[in-house]
Amino acid sequence: MRQSNPQRRRPEPRALSETERRELERKIFVAINEHRQRKRLKPLIWDDRIRDAAREHSQRMAEARFFAHEDPQRGDVGARLKRRRIAWTMCGENIATQKGYTDRVGVAVTGWMESPGHRENIMTEEFTHTGVGIFRRADGTYYYTQIFTRY
């Protein structure tokens, strides 16, 4: 019979520090605006309240183990923004998940740019504000949410 020594197990990945999380979120924000500027679109404006809503959705997807724009308990992006008292006249959302990549920002942004619906959100001229929220599960799976709005 074979036994494993619990002291020799690989440690679980630690949670992202606030600094690491902010850095990844901001890098995605910058990359998205670079794509917009190449098409001569105005850059999106960062909004911490939208980032908080995006973080919440990423965390809910990770913890409740679903991957969808609609949260089974909290509804779609419009309902989630309304719940947080974020006024908007137009909104959209991109989500992504990944595990095992070192270029997390590049993989997420490239995936969105290669998907017609996600690319449309990024390139919609009418969107003015955005926030990106990231959550990493203990198994190393990353969840990304980017919310776009027009006030």
Side-chain angles (χ1 to χ4, degrees):
M1 181 164 99
R2 188 174 184 172
Q3 293 182 344
S4 43
N5 181 344
Q7 294 175 334
R8 296 198 63 179
R9 288 188 186 147
R10 293 176 107 183
E12 291 292 318
R14 62 174 175 66
L16 285 173
S17 72
E18 183 61 21
T19 301
E20 291 169 318
R21 191 181 213 187
R22 283 179 189 258
E23 183 180 332
L24 284 171
E25 291 165 346
R26 285 299 219 177
K27 285 180 176 180
I28 289 174
F29 169 71
V30 168
I32 293 300
N33 272 333
E34 287 172 355
H35 282 285
R36 287 176 62 89
Q37 289 174 324
R38 283 185 209 125
K39 296 294 184 183
R40 302 195 190 281
L41 298 172
K42 288 183 182 177
L44 295 165
I45 299 165
W46 182 266
D47 187 307
D48 284 339
R49 296 173 316 137
I50 297 171
R51 181 223 36 223
D52 292 344
R55 279 183 174 184
E56 180 181 55
H57 189 60
S58 290
Q59 185 170 348
R60 287 267 314 133
M61 287 191 295
E63 291 176 348
R65 301 209 179 243
F66 70 90
F67 182 70
H69 292 287
E70 178 131 358
D71 182 314
Q73 295 179 341
R74 298 182 180 162
D76 66 12
V77 63
R80 288 184 270 117
L81 290 171
K82 184 177 180 181
R83 215 176 111 255
R84 289 181 157 271
R85 292 185 167 86
I86 298 172
W88 53 272
T89 59
M90 183 178 175
C91 67
E93 177 179 67
N94 287 349
I95 59 174
T97 186
Q98 61 176 255
K99 183 178 180 180
Y101 292 96
T102 54
D103 181 11
R104 293 172 189 88
V105 172
V107 170
V109 173
T110 299
W112 286 338
M113 290 304 292
E114 291 176 352
S115 163
H118 294 104
R119 181 182 176 85
E120 183 178 343
N121 281 338
I122 292 166
M123 296 301 183
T124 295
E125 188 172 4
E126 292 80 14
F127 286 138
T128 57
H129 292 76
T130 194
V132 178
I134 297 173
F135 187 82
R136 182 174 67 192
R137 241 180 17 204
D139 69 358
T141 303
Y142 284 78
Y143 289 79
Y144 303 84
T145 303
Q146 182 171 24
I147 298 173
F148 304 86
T149 65
R150 178 178 185 87
Y151 294 133

